[in-house]
Amino acid sequence: MTNSSSQITKSSTAEYFAKNLQQVGFSSPAKAVLTTLKEAMDNALDACEEFGILPEITVIIEKKGKGHLRHTDRIMIRVVDNGPGLTLQQVPMVFGEYLASSKFGRGRCSRGQQGIGISAATTWAVQTSATGARVITKQKNMKKALSCMVITDLKKNQGIIKEKEMTNWDREHGTSVEFLIDGRLQMNGEGGILAYLRGNILLNPHLTLKYQLPDLAPTTISRVSDIVPVIPPSLPPHPHTMKLGEFMSHARLFGRIKLSDWLERGFSRLSRPEITAIVKTSGYKASLAEQTVTSLTAEQLKKLFATIQEMDLRPPATKSVITIGEEALSLSIQRLGQIDYFSVVSRRPIICDLKPVQVEVAVARLQTKGGDSDEAVQVLRFANRVPLQFDRASCAIIKAISSVNWRAYNLKQSKGGLPSGPYIIAVSIVSPFIKFKNASKETIDASDELVEEIRAALMKAGLKLSRHLKKEHKERELESKLQHIEKFSPILVDTLCRLTNANKERRLRAENGLLKILGRDNQETVKELQAAEVKLAAHLSKQKDSLVMFNDEDKQLMHHEEELSEKPLDLEEAEPKKKTKKAPAAKKAPAAKKKKKK
């Protein structure tokens, strides 16, 4: 018997996420700032690439005072792009409605897919500063831009437009979104704002990015490529990746369509002969393929599904995968310091867990650290051209790196841990169906097949590194031997010449012969080596020129942090003076008495 006073209530999707924003990246004030920026930039980049526009994005972050939450600041985040713009109907759906996305379930290598992140940023702004998303958007055929405030109706999971007006805007087309939130700015470190912005700069050579951050001078990074990446077409699901309930729901989406047409159009890599074989193996007549999907019973669909799962089907196509490219990945490696060696391995797209995946890996050695460094290597993780900056311990990339025996490639490594030394390991995974472990897309699920594919790429890069290290070791060993011989050879020649009473000509021939044996007489080889070194230095210098400003930013930020670290000491000294106002009066009294005595 149930209690009549207890009632079962139901919540909307928006209400659920509003109460569980930590699941989508708003678990701390520092992560809230980075997640808000990340979602806005991902939307901007995807919109530009979708319409073949070379992206020009401006990021402005400002502190607006003390936040309402404890130990937070009120922070304004504005992201402006030159994308296609939005219609009046699209604005509340994009910024105020959860799970409203044109890319959800389409099987594309896009940054955003579920339609959760930017709506969560709006909810965080409502919760922490009682505002929403301030949007200005304009399409090419509009004379004026639409300006409005968007908030979310949590009960109905709908975006609501407020303060709507048409305004003049100096852009031909584009969108500006601004959030006022409570948060904390983390500029440096793996989870810092600068790391995220630089990662995007280096992974998107076609991007022009302008950003203005607190305590730093405005910065502009111009694009180095005029080629907009071509986003591959959507990929239908493979029948082996579906569960029975998904299979039956998928059938209902197509309505009155022939079974054969549904299987061919609704799934990846199912041909007519295979469909005929599926129907025949299921025990049905061939005429079943000509019936509409809506006329099939649940039992018929169950039997078809069971037959499909038992059959050997062709794997999904890998044409839906977009490659970052060797140049962009090599640049992303060099952003953390001066590199004297790096290798990039770009694997062919393969099928992991019946999903197309491409893995690219780069291993580099830093010049700035000593060769005997015991610190763990720096790891850069990327998923669909987005830097991953949190929850790395459980990520498939970290598990794959830790599982490789790096000692075989002459690197130090503790058992089951990351290798150590002055190295950077970057891993990029691109797939239309990346399986993340949480809705905030911060860490990749470590399936066995994916880990093995990453391992294969890492081991190939490690093999290249090992060959380079062995070559260096042999060269150092040979050079040491030659230097040792050269040190004592003049004494040997001089002694032999004195014993044999050799003349100067014979002494000269002996010295030249010794140089020939040592290989020091090949002047052409020396010149070629010198020319190669000059070319290599010019190549590295060219790639590092674009990173000089990053070092300047770090120094400027470090100087500002040092100034801030001194301020609390002054405040502590000033506080007792404010609290003990009577103390100065007590000190003045004795001074007055002394004057009277005089």
Side-chain angles (χ1 to χ4, degrees):
M1 188 174 178
T2 58
N3 187 356
S4 59
S5 63
S6 63
Q7 295 181 350
I8 298 176
T9 61
K10 65 177 183 178
S11 301
S12 69
T13 304
E15 286 180 304
Y16 171 80
F17 282 112
K19 294 175 183 177
N20 299 277
L21 285 175
Q22 73 279 0
Q23 295 183 4
V24 287
F26 293 84
S27 57
S28 69
K31 287 182 71 174
V33 174
L34 183 62
T35 301
T36 301
L37 172 63
K38 173 181 174 297
E39 297 298 341
M41 274 200 67
D42 286 355
N43 280 15
L45 286 167
D46 276 342
C48 290
E49 291 178 357
E50 182 79 19
F51 286 82
I53 300 172
L54 286 169
E56 295 181 6
I57 297 177
T58 302
V59 174
I60 301 174
I61 300 178
E62 297 177 358
K63 290 184 179 180
K64 296 291 186 178
K66 188 177 179 182
H68 293 92
L69 299 176
R70 291 186 62 188
H71 309 301
T72 63
D73 297 311
R74 180 169 287 190
I75 296 173
M76 186 277 292
I77 301 171
R78 184 188 303 142
V79 176
V80 186
D81 64 60
N82 65 329
L86 299 168
T87 64
L88 177 62
Q89 292 76 21
Q90 291 172 334
V91 169
M93 294 180 66
V94 170
F95 297 102
E97 185 174 336
Y98 287 86
L99 299 178
S101 172
S102 62
K103 300 183 283 288
F104 182 73
R106 289 177 60 188
R108 305 191 67 182
C109 293
S110 56
R111 299 170 181 86
Q113 292 185 357
Q114 293 98 341
I116 295 175
I118 200 71
S119 302
T122 301
T123 302
W124 182 262
V126 172
Q127 290 182 350
T128 60
S129 64
T131 63
R134 170 68 65 182
V135 180
I136 302 175
T137 186
K138 182 182 179 183
Q139 292 187 316
K140 197 170 183 180
N141 57 354
M142 296 170 61
K143 292 183 179 180
K144 289 191 174 184
L146 168 66
S147 174
C148 63
M149 177 74 73
V150 180
I151 62 172
T152 302
D153 184 340
L154 298 179
K155 290 289 183 183
K156 299 179 180 179
N157 186 25
Q158 291 180 350
I160 299 175
I161 290 182
K162 292 187 173 182
E163 304 173 20
K164 181 178 69 173
E165 64 175 352
M166 303 305 292
T167 183
N168 293 321
W169 203 25
D170 58 356
R171 288 176 175 263
E172 185 179 359
H173 52 81
T175 300
S176 168
V177 59
E178 179 183 310
F179 297 96
L180 188 62
I181 65 172
D182 284 2
R184 280 201 310 271
L185 276 180
Q186 180 182 339
M187 302 296 288
N188 286 324
E190 185 180 1
I193 299 293
L194 287 174
Y196 173 75
L197 292 175
R198 294 171 185 176
N200 273 286
I201 290 167
L202 299 174
L203 286 178
N204 298 281
H206 62 296
L207 165 67
T208 292
L209 178 64
K210 301 177 183 178
Y211 58 89
Q212 185 174 339
L213 308 178
D215 311 318
L216 292 176
T219 302
T220 299
I221 310 293
S222 300
R223 67 175 58 92
V224 293
S225 172
D226 292 328
I227 300 174
V228 181
V230 178
I231 308 299
S234 303
L235 183 71
H238 194 277
H240 281 176
T241 64
M242 304 190 86
K243 302 178 181 67
L244 175 60
E246 293 174 323
F247 182 80
M248 297 176 72
S249 299
H250 191 57
R252 298 188 194 102
L253 293 176
F254 282 77
R256 295 181 61 82
I257 185 175
K258 290 181 181 180
L259 173 63
S260 57
D261 292 339
W262 169 58
L263 291 175
E264 185 176 19
R265 300 177 193 172
F267 295 97
S268 173
R269 306 297 286 272
L270 275 182
S271 63
R272 288 284 176 170
E274 288 172 323
I275 294 170
T276 303
I278 290 170
V279 175
K280 184 178 180 181
T281 308
S282 301
Y284 296 113
K285 295 181 179 180
S287 59
L288 184 73
E290 301 302 314
Q291 293 185 26
T292 60
V293 175
T294 53
S295 67
L296 300 179
T297 65
E299 288 301 321
Q300 287 175 319
L301 287 172
K302 289 179 182 179
K303 201 166 184 180
L304 286 170
F305 177 79
T307 303
I308 290 173
Q309 299 307 309
E310 295 297 327
M311 293 186 67
D312 291 330
L313 302 177
R314 292 177 299 164
T318 57
K319 294 180 180 179
S320 60
V321 175
I322 183 172
T323 305
I324 292 176
E326 185 173 323
E327 181 180 358
L329 195 55
S330 63
L331 280 174
S332 68
I333 277 291
Q334 297 186 59
R335 69 185 176 94
L336 291 183
Q338 294 184 347
I339 305 298
D340 64 357
Y341 170 81
F342 70 87
S343 64
V344 176
V345 173
S346 185
R347 298 274 291 178
R348 291 179 59 187
I350 67 161
I351 301 300
C352 286
D353 305 311
L354 292 172
K355 299 176 179 67
V357 172
Q358 181 168 31
V359 174
E360 293 175 293
V361 164
V363 178
R365 184 175 63 185
L366 290 163
Q367 284 183 330
T368 54
K369 293 184 178 180
D372 298 328
S373 173
D374 292 327
E375 296 181 10
V377 298
Q378 299 180 48
V379 178
L380 304 180
R381 299 176 295 137
F382 304 103
N384 281 345
R385 298 175 295 155
V386 176
L388 304 180
Q389 297 178 263
F390 296 103
D391 296 345
R392 75 176 205 164
S394 58
C395 184
I397 293 173
I398 297 298
K399 289 189 176 182
I401 296 174
S402 301
S403 67
V404 173
N405 181 17
W406 291 98
R407 293 185 293 275
Y409 307 119
N410 299 316
L411 267 67
K412 296 180 181 178
Q413 183 186 23
S414 58
K415 188 175 181 180
L418 294 173
S420 59
Y423 295 93
I424 302 171
I425 298 177
V427 179
S428 168
I429 298 176
V430 178
S431 172
F433 299 105
I434 289 183
K435 188 177 180 182
F436 294 98
K437 297 194 74 171
N438 47 35
S440 58
K441 298 181 292 185
E442 295 168 345
T443 183
I444 301 172
D445 187 46
S447 70
D448 293 340
E449 287 189 32
L450 180 58
V451 170
E452 283 302 314
E453 176 62 15
I454 300 172
R455 274 173 51 85
L458 288 168
M459 288 189 288
K460 189 172 181 180
L463 187 61
K464 290 183 178 181
L465 174 64
S466 177
R467 289 172 180 168
H468 179 77
L469 294 177
K470 287 179 180 178
K471 183 180 178 182
E472 281 187 339
H473 177 71
K474 288 183 179 179
E475 288 175 351
R476 286 195 300 267
E477 192 177 49
L478 179 60
E479 184 64 25
S480 176
K481 290 179 180 178
L482 292 176
Q483 289 177 357
H484 186 73
I485 295 173
E486 284 180 333
K487 182 178 180 181
F488 294 101
S489 60
I491 301 173
L492 177 62
V493 171
D494 183 67
T495 303
L496 290 173
C497 288
R498 281 191 291 104
L499 290 174
T500 58
N501 295 321
N503 55 25
K504 291 182 179 180
E505 184 180 350
R506 191 171 181 183
R507 178 191 293 268
L508 184 61
R509 287 202 306 270
E511 290 176 350
N512 292 335
L514 187 61
L515 289 175
K516 188 174 182 179
I517 293 172
L518 295 175
R520 300 299 195 186
D521 63 331
N522 197 338
Q523 298 299 325
E524 292 299 322
T525 304
V526 173
K527 290 180 181 180
E528 289 178 5
L529 287 173
Q530 290 176 347
E533 287 178 359
V534 170
K535 289 181 180 179
L536 178 61
H539 173 70
L540 292 175
S541 176
K542 183 180 178 181
Q543 294 198 352
K544 290 170 187 171
D545 283 345
S546 60
L547 309 175
V548 171
M549 64 185 70
F550 295 161
N551 295 329
D552 295 340
E553 282 180 346
D554 291 338
K555 291 177 183 178
Q556 187 178 354
L557 192 61
M558 189 179 297
H559 178 68
H560 180 74
E561 289 175 350
E562 289 175 355
E563 291 179 347
L564 288 178
S565 65
E566 297 175 359
K567 287 186 178 181
L569 297 175
D570 297 337
L571 291 172
E572 289 176 4
E573 292 175 1
E575 277 184 8
K577 294 180 181 179
K578 292 180 181 179
K579 292 179 180 179
T580 56
K581 292 183 179 179
K582 294 181 180 180
K587 291 181 180 179
K588 286 182 180 178
K593 288 180 181 179
K594 288 180 181 179
K595 288 181 180 179
K596 287 181 180 180
K597 287 180 180 180
K598 288 183 180 179

